[in-house]
Every structure is written in structure tokens, then in C-alpha cells.
Amino acid sequence: MKIKSVKVKNFRSLKDVSVEFEDGLTCIIGENDSGKTSLLACLRVFSENEPYQVKVDDFRISGREMENSITIELELSDGVKLRKEFNLTEAGINQESKIYLPKTMLVKELDAIKGKLSEYDKQKQVKDLEHTLRTSLEHITQRILGNRPRSNKKVDNIINELETKLSSIESEHEVNTDYRIHIYYLDNRTIQEPELIIEKLFFEDIKKEVWTTEISGDKTIKKLVEEKISELKTKKEEQFRKDLEERIKDFLHQKVKLNIDFSFSESPLNIKFKTKFVDEYNNEISFENKGEGTKRRVTMALVEFKMKEEQRDRDVNVFIFDEPDTHLHVKAQRELLALLNKHLENKQIIITTHSPYILNLLKPHQLRVCELAKSENNTIHTKIKGLNINEVENLLRDLGIENLLLFFSRKILIVEGKTEKVFLDTFYEYHYKTPPYADFLKVIEGQGTTDVVRVVKVLINHLEYRPEQVFLMVDKDIDNRPPNDPIYKIIDWLRNNGWHEQTQLFKVGNKEFEDCFQPEHIYEAWKNYVEKKGKQVSASWTLENVNQAYQECVENDEKLRDKLQNLNSGCGVRFEHADSFPKALAEYFSEYPDQLPEEIKSLLNSLREEGT
């Protein structure tokens, strides 16, 4: 189970905020005091382990007045909503917790039970049903009607009552259920202390589970504590009535009665666990003098171990890392993200960061930005939104790091045009499961940059940090180009400015990039691409015609793309669209990488080599 979204009203700077989370990893970014920590606190309010306790200072101040209520609502991936309301009174903060299930979920669950019941079974009493079916019926009855059915009640009558109640529900229904939210919050301090993180990750749950431990029958330790307190409370009330009430009456001159109410906290027991690391000679290993990076690496090993634990279907396990990149080298930050990505299938991860390196490794849809804005009454509040690619680029410009991907790239690949760039970007992500920039590789479209001087200036500015290597992928006719050709100028500049040994040149194709591929691969790639979009290729798009077009271009020194476009006439997918054909090729070769032209294989191998 995952957290789908959170809605917050009047918590600190979060006036009225709704944030959706990714099933895998979501990154919260923003300036200091923009609301990142406040958002994390709202999630932690629901945590079974070490929940955040709302304080008076958390109520939002509007103008000169403090709001007197806070509402926080979590929506889970199955549609369940968990809502907490906090009201500020003279006596303190009152808290109310509610859980709402969507009507569609309850109807589906009831239909599944009805499907397993025969007409004969419906005449049975609850106690006569098979155990699994009886448990399911009792569970849904508890959630819809608020109580478990009597064991001697007929199943048919229960079904009728449930259907009647469901018909009166509009969209959602308040219930009592056993969803458990585990939020493991690892802030900057915790991540640096392996001993502390062991207690947080592995022992907080134990403390909590003590309360639900069964000691006899259905009786838990929590129930035993309640009964014992109630018993002692009753005895104390009897003592009061025998003596104390009469004594007080003498002072108040009226009859009084003392009634005692009680409550106790279910927060984790005040038990401290101390974990010691010892070497092979049983000597304790101290982390006090270890480097911050070492501490965090040990921490991440512990986190990885925790992430492998299994969980119940209705449990929510969320790991929050608040600025985990602090004190980590760039390479270590990259390793951290790789570790987290390994466990995204079953776990949900939320991180906050100020690191441009972390930002560089994430995809735009994973980012949420906190930013301060002024409302109509000039009150500061936080807006949180998702980003698209253009907004990410704007964000980098606003941070003064417009060339971030280039600035921190270890390798630069310059290609001739958009077709090559789209092909490589798409193939890289499909085949290697990561975009080029995640491997600190920047792909630049040379022909698309009409101002070659600007490209040269970028490279000059980059020299201080010296990328390990520059790669160029060009057509085989590069040596016959005029001196003013953009790509030729770039190559000439690299040779004349000390980059000859650090530059690798890969020549592909004849007249253009497309003609480096074999006709049968071109035919299959476009056919598969069109069919995936639910269309049919043109009648003229045959292997024979593609092969003929290819041979004519070789013999007549013509460009292949124009002829291929003519063969696609009448197809529902536009061949002439700048991205369509290179994406088709990339998707095809990501499945059949062995069929790639040798020049492209060699290029990719060089790009992926460490230390080149």
C-alpha cells in the first residue's frame, strides 16, 4: 500500500495544500523555510512508530490571528482516506481521527463475498460458515455497520442489512479499520548515527507491538492495562466515597461526588535499546571518530536491510530521507540514489534535498517544489506543485545553474542533429534503464546550434572542470564538408585547443544517420512502432520497398529519409515528425542491441566505460 496524496489546511505555512506522491520516489525541493519540513511533519502525524505530535506553534497564523483548526488527510493508493483534525481550545489541543473508505471498494468487497455464497449458504448462520468466509463477512460487517454480527444470525439477513446501508452511502463511508502507517523518518542527524538508526528502524515497531501482544485469548497487553487501571480506579473511587467526599463536604457545604476518568498514551514504551558494533576480537567499534561519509554508508546498509522486510497488504511503509546528501561526495550521492531505486517496487520513498547533483539524477515527474507566495491578505503560505521538463530547466536557471547537466557532466557527446540525439536519449533510457544525464553524460545537438561560437564558449567555460572525454558521432562525409559547417568547426576547435587526445570521433552512416541501419531493421522498427500505437503500416511499407529505397540511395548518393517518408504515405502515424522515426529505431534496438551497427555499439561501450 502506498500514500497517493496528502491534503493540508492551516499547518504552519501550509494554508491549503494538496500534494500527490509517486508510487516510488518523490523528491521535495525548495528554499529554506518554504514548507518542506512542515509537509514531512504532516505525514509523520499518521505514523504508528514515533508519530509527530502537533503543538500550538503548528497552528497557522493568518495576519495577527492564529487559526484554531488543522486538518490533514492522507489518501492511500486503494482510495482509503485517513483524516486527522486538530482543534485549539482553552483546555489544549483536541484531536479527532477518522477513516473513510470509498463506496466502490465496499461494494466490490461485498460482491466478492456474495459470489462465494450459494443460496443455501445464505440461509446458514454465521457460525456455520467456513472460517475464511466467516472472517470476511465479519470484517465487512464491522466496517459498514460498526459491529460484528451475532454468530447465530442468518447470513441472508446480514447481506440485506449491508446492501441497505450501502445504498444510503453517497461516495465514502466512515469506518474503523486496521490500516497501519509506518513512516521511518531519517533526518540529517539520524543518518549520521548508525546506533540511533538501528533503534529507529528495528525497535520502535517492537515497542508499539507490545501493546497488541495477546496474553490469553483475545486479550492484549493494552486491554490488560486498561482493565487494571479501571480496577484500581474503581477502588480509589470507593475510598473517596468512604472518607474524602465527606471531608470535602465540610469545606464546600454541599454534597459532592468524585468521578474519575482515565486515559493513557499508546506511544512507544520508554525502553532504550543500545546496539554495539564489535570486531572479531569482541572490541566495540566506535563511530564517533569515523567520517560522516562512512557513517552514512553504514546507515544505508541498515536502511537497505530494513527495506527488504515483508509487510502486510494493508500496511503502508514510507521512508523519508531529509537531506540525505549532506556530507556525501557526488559519487556517493549517485550510489545513494541507486540504492533507493533498487527498492522502489514495494516501498515508497520521499526525500528532500538542496543538492543539484541529486536533482540531476531525478526525472521531472519525481519533483515537487515548495515555494513561498503571498495571498490576498499579504500572508505568506506555501504552494507545492509538480514539474514538467520545461519547468525543471527554468528552475535551474532561477538557481543560477542553467548548464547544470553540462557543468557536472563527466563526458560530453556531440551529435549532428535532432534525429541522433532523440535516438541516443531514447535508446539509453530504454536499454540501460536510466537517462544519459544520470550517468553524467551530456548529449549536445551540434547542427541544431546555429551559433557555433556559443558551443565553443560553453566548452571553454567547462575546461576548468575538464570533462574526462568528448565524443562526436558524425556522418562519414564529414571530411568533405565546407569549413563553415557547424560540426566541422567544432572538430577543428577541439583539435586546435588541446582536446585532440581526449576526443573520440565515431563516423556512422553515409549521407545521414538513418542509412547506417540495415533495411530489414528499419522495416521492422517502424512496423513495430506503428502497431504499438494501434495503427497499420502503409501498404507501400514493405521490406522489398525499403530495401529498394536503401539501394537507390547508396547508388545515387541520395538521402534515405525522404524516400522512407514517401513509403509511409497513408499511415496513421506521421513519419516526418522529428521524434517518431528515431524513437522507433531506439525502441527496436533496445530489444535487439546485438543488431546495432558496430560503430554505434563501439560508441555506447566507450560512453559506458568507467574512467574513460
Side-chain angles (χ1 to χ4, degrees):
M1 192 69 63
K2 305 291 181 67
I3 296 177
K4 180 181 178 182
S5 65
V6 63
K7 294 181 180 179
V8 185
K9 290 187 177 180
N10 298 328
F11 185 90
R12 300 180 190 170
S13 64
L14 306 179
K15 176 184 178 183
D16 188 0
V17 167
S18 178
V19 184
E20 291 191 357
F21 298 95
E22 299 296 314
D23 285 346
L25 188 148
T26 304
C27 179
I28 312 296
I29 61 176
E31 297 181 5
N32 294 329
D33 298 322
S34 61
K36 300 189 300 296
T37 303
S38 297
L39 180 64
L40 300 184
C42 290
L43 298 177
R44 293 166 54 207
V45 161
F46 294 87
S47 180
E48 290 272 337
N49 51 302
E50 203 178 17
Y52 178 82
Q53 305 295 330
V54 172
K55 303 181 290 294
V56 173
D57 290 345
D58 293 323
F59 287 79
R60 183 174 174 272
I61 297 178
S62 177
R64 295 184 178 179
E65 297 183 1
M66 179 180 289
E67 300 286 351
N68 58 14
S69 67
I70 293 173
T71 302
I72 308 173
E73 179 181 280
L74 285 188
E75 182 176 356
L76 305 183
S77 52
D78 63 356
V80 173
K81 295 178 181 178
L82 291 76
R83 187 177 304 156
K84 287 186 180 288
E85 297 177 358
F86 303 89
N87 294 296
L88 190 60
T89 67
E90 292 183 358
I93 300 174
N94 291 335
Q95 176 181 330
E96 188 174 6
S97 299
K98 299 179 180 179
I99 300 177
Y100 297 90
L101 298 188
K103 178 178 179 178
T104 53
M105 174 190 287
L106 295 171
V107 170
K108 184 178 180 180
E109 187 176 338
L110 181 58
D111 287 344
I113 293 174
K114 288 163 60 178
K116 296 177 181 178
L117 289 168
S118 64
E119 289 300 320
Y120 173 74
D121 290 331
K122 288 182 181 180
Q123 300 303 315
K124 282 185 175 183
Q125 295 181 348
V126 174
K127 63 182 179 181
D128 297 324
L129 292 177
E130 184 268 330
H131 175 73
T132 302
L133 192 54
R134 182 175 70 251
T135 301
S136 298
L137 186 61
E138 290 176 346
H139 183 68
I140 192 172
T141 304
Q142 173 73 35
R143 294 203 286 179
I144 296 179
L145 300 180
N147 51 52
R148 292 183 179 275
R150 298 191 310 271
S151 61
N152 63 348
K153 194 167 185 177
K154 287 187 176 181
V155 173
D156 194 37
N157 292 336
I158 297 174
I159 297 295
N160 290 336
E161 289 179 19
L162 293 174
E163 290 180 330
T164 300
K165 179 64 177 179
L166 283 174
S167 66
S168 66
I169 298 173
E170 291 187 7
S171 59
E172 57 186 26
H173 179 56
E174 183 178 351
V175 300
N176 291 318
T177 189
D178 56 348
Y179 282 88
R180 295 191 300 189
I181 312 293
H182 300 282
I183 296 181
Y184 302 99
Y185 176 72
L186 308 178
D187 58 13
N188 190 29
R189 182 179 70 89
T190 304
I191 293 175
Q192 298 180 51
E193 300 184 27
E195 297 94 339
L196 178 59
I197 204 169
I198 286 181
E199 182 170 1
K200 272 181 165 289
L201 293 181
F202 301 102
F203 291 105
E204 292 296 340
D205 289 348
I206 291 178
K207 299 177 189 179
K208 190 71 178 179
E209 289 176 7
V210 166
W211 292 112
T212 58
T213 301
E214 293 185 0
I215 51 178
S216 63
D218 293 333
K219 182 174 290 187
T220 63
I221 290 179
K222 176 186 174 184
K223 185 67 175 178
L224 176 65
V225 171
E226 288 177 332
E227 290 178 353
K228 190 63 178 178
I229 294 176
S230 181
E231 176 188 337
L232 296 175
K233 183 207 75 157
T234 301
K235 288 182 180 180
K236 189 61 66 177
E237 284 179 335
E238 292 174 355
Q239 293 175 3
F240 288 168
R241 293 194 178 104
K242 286 182 179 179
D243 186 28
L244 185 58
E245 288 180 359
E246 287 297 322
R247 289 176 179 270
I248 295 177
K249 177 182 176 182
D250 292 338
F251 292 97
L252 295 178
H253 306 294
Q254 67 183 63
K255 190 174 181 179
V256 294
K257 185 177 181 180
L258 275 70
N259 292 325
I260 302 172
D261 291 326
F262 75 91
S263 63
F264 69 95
S265 173
E266 294 182 50
S267 60
L269 299 173
N270 189 22
I271 302 173
K272 294 295 183 182
F273 290 90
K274 173 67 175 176
T275 303
K276 295 182 179 180
F277 293 79
V278 295
D279 61 19
E280 57 183 320
Y281 304 106
N282 208 35
N283 297 317
E284 184 173 351
I285 300 172
S286 173
F287 283 91
E288 183 175 347
N289 297 322
K290 300 291 185 183
E292 304 299 342
T294 299
K295 293 178 182 179
R296 287 172 181 251
R297 287 174 184 269
V298 174
T299 292
M300 295 317 300
L302 297 171
V303 170
E304 183 173 24
F305 182 77
K306 180 67 178 179
M307 285 182 170
K308 292 179 180 179
E309 289 185 353
E310 295 183 359
Q311 66 186 67
R312 300 188 317 165
D313 290 339
R314 290 194 300 276
D315 281 0
V316 177
N317 280 2
V318 180
F319 290 80
I320 295 179
F321 297 88
D322 198 357
E323 299 184 18
D325 46 87
T326 306
H327 300 295
L328 286 184
H329 183 271
V330 178
K331 184 178 180 181
Q333 293 183 30
R334 182 182 176 189
E335 293 172 350
L336 167 65
L337 261 294
L339 185 151
L340 298 181
N341 283 326
K342 283 172 57 178
H343 300 281
L344 292 184
E345 183 176 350
N346 298 315
K347 299 295 186 294
Q348 193 170 21
I349 297 171
I350 300 171
I351 67 173
T352 68
T353 186
H354 291 289
S355 168
Y357 305 99
I358 295 290
L359 187 65
N360 189 26
L361 295 171
L362 297 173
K363 297 180 180 179
H365 69 83
Q366 294 176 302
L367 301 177
R368 304 292 182 273
V369 177
C370 293
E371 59 184 17
L372 294 177
K374 289 188 177 182
S375 57
E376 293 180 357
N377 61 357
N378 208 37
T379 302
I380 300 296
H381 64 277
T382 297
K383 296 196 309 182
I384 303 179
K385 60 181 181 179
L387 295 175
N388 58 37
I389 293 176
N390 292 331
E391 287 175 318
V392 170
E393 293 174 350
N394 291 334
L395 171 65
L396 298 180
R397 280 194 290 271
D398 291 339
L399 294 175
I401 46 177
E402 180 177 358
N403 296 317
L404 177 71
L405 300 182
L406 176 61
F407 195 71
F408 295 115
S409 294
R410 295 186 299 114
K411 302 176 183 180
I412 300 172
L413 171 61
I414 301 174
V415 298
E416 290 220 42
K418 186 171 184 178
T419 298
E420 292 92 324
K421 187 177 188 309
V422 171
F423 172 85
L424 287 167
D425 284 343
T426 306
F427 176 87
Y428 208 98
E429 188 154 0
Y430 271 71
H431 185 64
Y432 299 119
K433 310 303 181 186
T434 183
Y437 61 76
D439 279 339
F440 299 103
L441 168 65
K442 175 61 180 176
V443 183
I444 300 175
E445 180 187 344
Q447 288 281 16
T449 307
T450 55
D451 184 3
V452 182
V453 176
R454 181 173 179 270
V455 176
V456 172
K457 285 183 178 180
V458 168
L459 291 172
I460 291 174
N461 291 334
H462 196 63
L463 289 179
E464 182 180 350
Y465 297 89
R466 299 192 72 83
E468 297 174 5
Q469 205 135 17
V470 175
F471 300 81
L472 293 101
M473 186 174 73
V474 299
D475 296 337
K476 289 181 179 178
D477 66 349
I478 185 66
D479 295 328
N480 299 322
R481 305 274 182 87
N484 63 347
D485 179 86
I487 297 297
Y488 191 90
K489 278 190 173 184
I490 293 173
I491 295 174
D492 188 60
W493 182 88
L494 289 169
R495 289 171 176 170
N496 295 328
N497 285 271
W499 282 86
H500 183 72
E501 293 182 358
Q502 297 150 296
T503 300
Q504 288 194 39
L505 190 65
F506 293 84
K507 297 180 181 180
V508 299
N510 294 303
K511 291 292 293 184
E512 56 186 350
F513 175 70
E514 288 87 341
D515 62 30
C516 75
F517 302 101
Q518 294 299 313
E520 58 267 30
H521 300 154
I522 293 174
Y523 166 78
E524 289 291 343
W526 184 249
K527 179 175 177 291
N528 293 345
Y529 185 78
V530 170
E531 290 176 348
K532 284 180 181 179
K533 293 186 174 295
K535 305 290 184 179
Q536 289 186 343
V537 294
S538 170
S540 57
W541 188 267
T542 64
L543 178 56
E544 180 180 357
N545 288 345
V546 172
N547 191 56
Q548 182 179 346
Y550 186 92
Q551 296 302 324
E552 289 176 358
C553 288
V554 172
E555 294 171 3
N556 301 324
D557 198 27
E558 297 175 331
K559 288 195 173 184
L560 178 61
R561 188 183 182 94
D562 294 337
K563 289 183 176 293
L564 294 178
Q565 182 173 320
N566 292 335
L567 294 179
N568 189 60
S569 178
C571 177
V573 181
R574 294 174 56 192
F575 189 96
E576 63 270 27
H577 191 278
D579 293 351
S580 297
F581 187 54
K583 281 186 176 180
L585 291 170
E587 291 178 15
Y588 174 83
F589 285 106
S590 65
E591 295 183 25
Y592 308 102
D594 290 338
Q595 297 179 6
L596 277 169
E598 289 301 319
E599 298 89 343
I600 296 181
K601 282 185 186 178
S602 180
L603 169 64
L604 291 169
N605 289 336
S606 297
L607 293 174
R608 297 281 292 177
E609 284 177 4
E610 291 293 331
T612 57

